[in-house]
Amino acid sequence: MSEFSKYILEKIQSGVSFKKAQALLSEKGSVSCGELGDTGKVFLASTFAGCAKDNVLLVVANDLRLESFKKQIEALGEKPLTVALSSEIGQKLAIVLSADFVGLSVDSLLTNVVTPEEYEKLSIVIKEGKSIIEDVDRILLDFGFEKTKKVRGAAEYSKRGDMIEIGLANGTKIGVELFGQKVEKLYSSAYDGAGKKSLQDVCIRPMKIPEGRAKILDYFQDWTIIMDGEDAIDLAILSSVQGSENQILPEKAGELAQIQKEIKKHKIIYLESFFTSEERGVNFSYLPPQSVQRHFADWISGIKEAQKVGTKIIIFTAKEKELAKIFLHNSVNFSLIGLTDSTFSVKRFDLKGCPEVEPQNTHRLLEDTHHHTVSQRQEKARKPQSDEIDNGLVSIIIQEIDEGVILKGLKTNIYSDKEIFGETKTKRRKKVNFSALTNLKIGEYVVHIDHGIGKFVGFGTIKIDDISREYIFIEYSKGDKIYVPIDQADKVTKYISVGNSEPILSSLSTGHWLKIRARVKEHIEQMARELLETQALRMEEKKFHYINDADEHRQLAES
């Protein structure tokens, strides 16, 4: 993690909103954090994980979302996120449980495995002075260890003569020296052999876990859970117990109720894209910046105004030369930061001059920068100094992130190439006639999941910066309109009325639609609870068994 990320996380942790969320979590056992973009969710998840007393489990809806979170947390987070996809959780559980910040999808969390108690019984213990267990090679292979010439990581083991080495999930290597079948020496060390320490005994647990009647969730007792959207997780859990006709299978009803009951035992932090009520949590408003779309003059003016009130501007980019040229031409002071594992390099472009820089260190990054004072320092890996972070200059960091974020209330604006330059790669799409696909006619009512009831007024192509995209046009109350990209057509459905009355168009300027959604969700949850309770009662009832009296019937018929 770069020191710039640490600087951001510390600002979030010291903010009023975060402290209020922590207080609600301690008081109620759960807190909803509203109005978050994807990068806002990453920063907030990393901040909670960094200051949590308990281990933290991040739960997302699917593996694709999990991989996205991992990539972003690697770039922006403080603690590393250990993840296991649903296809590999059975083989990586031991590694996952050795970490203190873990990410799993719902499918992984609901995988059927043996109980934690049964898992412990599968372990073997090696003791100094005692005989080694027979057929140790077969047992380690059955446990999911891979035999290698040299142990360089977890889930590996090697055997050379009377020497066995085993790589454990917690990052340590176990060395076993044998004399015949007797364990003569037992020690632990790092994978490179450093920090060697004698042991009396060691417990070797399986890397892969057998199937059983428990869930992976059962292994995370007392962990704090961070959920990537309550609705998204609830829907993913519900989908896992539905049959082919989207109905809850009778034999799964009790399982669903038990899963929901187990989750509620944990401290839970909900990361929400939408507004949340004061009773449930805090609205952070850590949302993406407005798209610049190469309108650089207005953007530069906005940056200068923000800097006047002490706002820190940080840009993560892979187009540092293009940005440097833009800032130099617009008289904006900035630092160009290169961060790698081995070096930390700083190039300062300060139009007022850098008197501490010696002439021989002057560096020309671009052909047209000869009239600017530029300093360059390249050093061995170290932490940036405070004046290199909070120095009033725009900080350009040569590293890509998926999306920027405006940290409201913290005077920190973060941009990515996505907002500044727009989508650089576009896939060619076939023209889609939305009206033909859904049998909609102009003037009919539709429902957008995020904005509510509107009127379908057509579809068309809009060209922005030489990029043409197809949009669905929807009109709302007071003549307000939205343009929905055709690739988001799944968010729009036809309005189905009850009776012949026309619906009231939603307003884009109020939160009325979000309140309706919240009420509907509450009613659906209540209905689901009642259905589950009814189904559970039915399952508990003893079935009536009829006596097989076919012989008596036959005798009666023949008499």
Side-chain angles (χ1 to χ4, degrees):
M1 179 198 73
S2 75
E3 289 301 314
F4 280 85
S5 297
K6 187 174 181 180
Y7 163 81
I8 295 165
L9 298 182
E10 287 175 350
K11 290 195 77 169
I12 292 173
Q13 190 173 343
S14 63
V16 174
S17 296
F18 186 78
K19 290 179 178 177
K20 185 177 179 182
Q22 279 188 310
L24 284 171
L25 182 63
S26 298
E27 178 187 345
K28 297 184 176 181
S30 67
V31 63
S32 180
C33 303
E35 296 187 318
L36 298 172
D38 282 352
T39 300
K41 288 183 177 183
V42 167
F43 275 131
L44 208 53
S46 297
T47 307
F48 274 114
C51 63
K53 295 179 181 178
D54 304 325
N55 292 342
V56 175
L57 174 63
L58 172 66
V59 180
V60 301
N62 53 58
D63 284 346
L64 188 64
R65 183 69 170 162
L66 183 62
E67 289 177 320
S68 174
F69 254 97
K70 180 174 174 58
K71 176 187 171 185
Q72 288 294 85
I73 286 177
E74 283 177 351
L76 300 171
E78 181 175 9
K79 279 189 176 183
L81 179 67
T82 302
V83 306
L85 303 180
S86 56
S87 60
E88 60 187 13
I89 183 63
Q91 287 73 43
K92 292 183 67 174
L93 181 62
I95 296 173
V96 164
L97 292 175
S98 68
D100 56 7
F101 187 25
V102 172
L104 296 177
S105 68
V106 168
D107 283 344
S108 293
L109 207 62
L110 303 184
T111 300
N112 290 316
V113 291
V114 296
T115 66
E117 294 76 20
E118 291 169 334
Y119 177 68
E120 285 296 322
K121 290 178 182 178
L122 294 172
S123 306
I124 61 171
V125 177
I126 301 174
K127 292 186 177 182
E128 188 178 77
K130 301 291 184 180
S131 295
I132 190 73
I133 191 167
E134 292 183 8
D135 206 2
V136 69
D137 272 282
R138 180 189 59 79
I139 291 173
L140 290 174
L141 289 171
D142 288 345
F143 275 12
F145 287 86
E146 180 185 359
K147 191 171 186 178
T148 59
K149 289 184 178 180
K150 186 176 181 179
V151 173
R152 293 184 174 86
E156 295 179 354
Y157 87 98
S158 67
K159 188 176 182 183
R160 302 185 307 276
D162 291 336
M163 183 69 192
I164 301 174
E165 291 184 337
I166 306 168
L168 299 186
N170 60 5
T172 60
K173 179 174 68 175
I174 299 300
V176 185
E177 293 184 17
L178 300 173
F179 184 76
Q181 289 293 354
K182 185 178 180 181
V183 179
E184 192 170 57
K185 287 185 180 180
L186 187 63
Y187 61 85
S188 67
S189 70
Y191 292 131
D192 60 3
K196 194 171 180 179
K197 186 169 64 174
S198 296
L199 299 173
Q200 294 297 315
D201 56 62
V202 64
C203 181
I204 309 295
R205 294 179 174 83
M207 285 292 163
K208 63 181 182 182
I209 184 168
E211 290 187 12
R213 55 190 174 83
K215 302 287 185 187
I216 292 289
L217 177 62
D218 297 333
Y219 286 77
F220 292 90
Q221 301 296 326
D222 301 323
W223 286 51
T224 295
I225 294 180
I226 299 177
M227 285 195 177
D228 177 28
E230 185 178 8
D231 287 351
I233 301 303
D234 285 348
L235 183 60
I237 293 172
L238 188 63
S239 298
S240 71
V241 296
Q242 285 180 333
S244 57
E245 298 181 357
N246 293 330
Q247 294 181 342
I248 299 175
L249 301 172
E251 63 271 19
K252 293 285 187 177
E255 182 181 315
L256 176 59
Q258 185 61 29
I259 291 168
Q260 293 172 331
K261 182 180 177 182
E262 288 299 319
I263 289 175
K264 296 298 181 183
K265 292 179 181 178
H266 296 257
K267 285 185 178 179
I268 306 177
I269 301 159
Y270 300 104
L271 304 181
E272 302 291 359
S273 302
F274 301 106
F275 183 88
T276 189
S277 65
E278 289 186 7
E279 293 77 15
R280 297 200 61 204
V282 182
N283 290 296
F284 283 77
S285 296
Y286 292 173
L287 298 170
Q290 288 187 346
S291 179
V292 176
Q293 293 292 348
R294 294 186 175 271
H295 298 150
F296 298 124
D298 293 341
W299 180 53
I300 294 295
S301 297
I303 285 176
K304 289 180 177 179
E305 290 300 316
Q307 286 183 309
K308 287 179 182 178
V309 295
T311 300
K312 176 66 181 176
I313 307 296
I314 300 175
I315 302 171
F316 289 84
T317 184
K319 299 183 177 182
E320 67 278 6
K321 290 187 178 181
E322 190 171 345
L323 274 174
K325 191 172 182 178
I326 292 167
F327 284 148
L328 290 170
H329 285 169
N330 287 276
S331 301
V332 177
N333 299 334
F334 65 94
S335 293
L336 190 62
I337 314 296
L339 300 167
T340 68
D341 292 335
S342 58
T343 62
F344 172 83
S345 61
V346 182
K347 300 182 184 76
R348 292 186 60 181
F349 293 76
D350 190 342
L351 305 182
K352 297 179 182 178
C354 300
E356 76 280 6
V357 180
E358 297 178 2
Q360 60 266 32
N361 290 333
T362 301
H363 175 71
R364 283 171 56 185
L365 175 65
L366 303 169
E367 290 181 358
D368 60 350
T369 63
H370 61 277
H371 56 284
H372 301 290
T373 303
V374 181
S375 69
Q376 174 180 306
R377 297 195 303 279
Q378 185 163 335
E379 309 171 13
K380 291 182 179 179
R382 63 168 179 82
K383 293 182 178 181
Q385 302 300 313
S386 59
D387 65 328
E388 293 165 344
I389 297 178
D390 214 354
N391 54 10
L393 304 181
V394 173
S395 295
I396 300 178
I397 301 174
I398 308 173
Q399 184 177 6
E400 285 189 274
I401 60 174
D402 289 347
E403 182 182 83
V405 61
I406 303 297
L407 300 177
K408 186 176 179 181
L410 301 181
K411 290 189 174 181
T412 303
N413 295 354
I414 300 168
Y415 295 89
S416 71
D417 287 342
K418 178 181 177 182
E419 295 86 40
I420 300 169
F421 300 106
E423 300 291 346
T424 55
K425 294 181 181 179
T426 56
K427 295 181 180 178
R428 298 182 69 181
R429 296 177 180 273
K430 292 182 179 179
K431 286 191 175 182
V432 180
N433 189 327
F434 180 77
S435 181
L437 286 177
T438 60
N439 296 319
L440 278 177
K441 297 178 182 177
I442 291 177
E444 289 189 323
Y445 295 101
V446 295
V447 181
H448 189 288
I449 190 171
D450 298 333
H451 302 294
I453 301 171
K455 190 178 290 185
F456 174 63
V457 294
F459 60 93
T461 301
I462 298 177
K463 190 173 184 180
I464 301 175
D465 290 337
D466 297 325
I467 299 174
S468 296
R469 296 182 71 185
E470 291 184 86
Y471 291 83
I472 304 159
F473 300 162
I474 303 175
E475 184 177 295
Y476 286 88
S477 174
K478 300 178 182 178
D480 293 339
K481 291 185 177 67
I482 66 168
Y483 307 105
V484 183
I486 202 72
D487 56 11
Q488 296 179 22
D490 58 326
K491 291 189 172 185
V492 181
T493 56
K494 185 176 180 179
Y495 174 82
I496 300 174
S497 64
V498 179
N500 297 321
S501 60
E502 291 190 355
I504 299 173
L505 295 181
S506 300
S507 172
L508 298 180
S509 58
T510 68
H512 183 62
W513 173 249
L514 295 179
K515 293 177 183 177
I516 291 174
R517 278 187 53 184
R519 287 201 301 269
V520 171
K521 181 191 171 197
E522 187 178 334
H523 289 313
I524 290 173
E525 287 178 346
Q526 178 63 31
M527 188 183 300
R529 281 194 293 269
E530 291 173 357
L531 288 171
L532 287 171
E533 289 171 1
T534 302
Q535 186 62 39
L537 289 172
R538 286 175 179 171
M539 292 174 68
E540 288 176 2
E541 288 182 358
K542 292 183 179 180
K543 294 180 180 179
F544 183 82
H545 294 281
Y546 290 92
I547 299 171
N548 187 354
D549 56 357
D551 291 340
E552 286 82 353
H553 276 285
R554 187 172 59 256
Q555 291 174 9
L556 180 64
E558 292 174 352
S559 61

